[in-house]
Amino acid sequence: MTLYLVRHADAGPRDPYSSADHLRWLSEDGLQQAARIADRLGDAGVTRVLSSPYPRCVQTVEPLARRLGVEVETDTVLAEGADGRRTLALMMALAGTEAVLCSHGDVIPDVLGLLETAGTAINGTRGNAKGSIWTINSDGEALVSAAYTKIPRKPDADPR
């Protein structure tokens, strides 16, 4: 079984003077990234799509959910500022499922650190770019390995 931990696609810069950052939507580049994420994961056997309730996360996985004919399930344990331990607990509960989880740039590194501490093998390049995907393999009970893939904002950009 495989979990795909996705960082939301490009939403443009934060407005440091706004208290409504949680309402920020994807940029045009981000919408294109979301379509490429759907193309990349559309045939991966995913049966569930979960997301932070923030619009930029939901928008990131909506094209994939539409393609799969499933609803995006929102969960606050994937929201910005969430405790990585709670996010990891959700992932462990999904270890026997093919699922996509969309979260934020502060949560994902925390979860990866917890995975590594628990003995999950972190393979290859590490990163946390917007629109990136961590592919996390499970043996049905434990999360055994994780590998990083960057989905560039522009289709012709260098994927490294």
Side-chain angles (χ1 to χ4, degrees), residues 65-136:
R66 275 194 306 273
R67 182 174 176 164
L68 299 175
V70 300
E71 294 292 321
V72 176
E73 304 169 47
T74 59
D75 196 316
T76 58
V77 304
L78 296 166
E80 191 169 59
D83 182 337
R85 293 170 297 187
R86 293 185 65 215
T87 307
L88 181 58
L90 172 63
M91 293 170 64
M92 293 299 297
L94 294 168
T97 308
E98 301 283 340
V100 169
L101 300 95
C102 187
S103 192
H104 298 267
D106 62 332
V107 176
I108 292 171
D110 192 19
V111 168
L112 288 165
L114 292 166
L115 283 170
E116 191 168 34
T117 299
T120 301
I122 309 295
N123 302 321
T125 304
R126 294 173 188 239
N128 192 31
K130 291 180 180 178
S132 60
I133 302 169
W134 277 94
T135 302
I136 303 168

Side-chain angles (χ1 to χ4, degrees), residues 1 11 31 50 56 65 100 102 109 143-144:
M1 298 291 146
L31 293 171
L50 296 91
R56 60 188 178 264
V100 169
C102 187
L143 303 175
V144 296

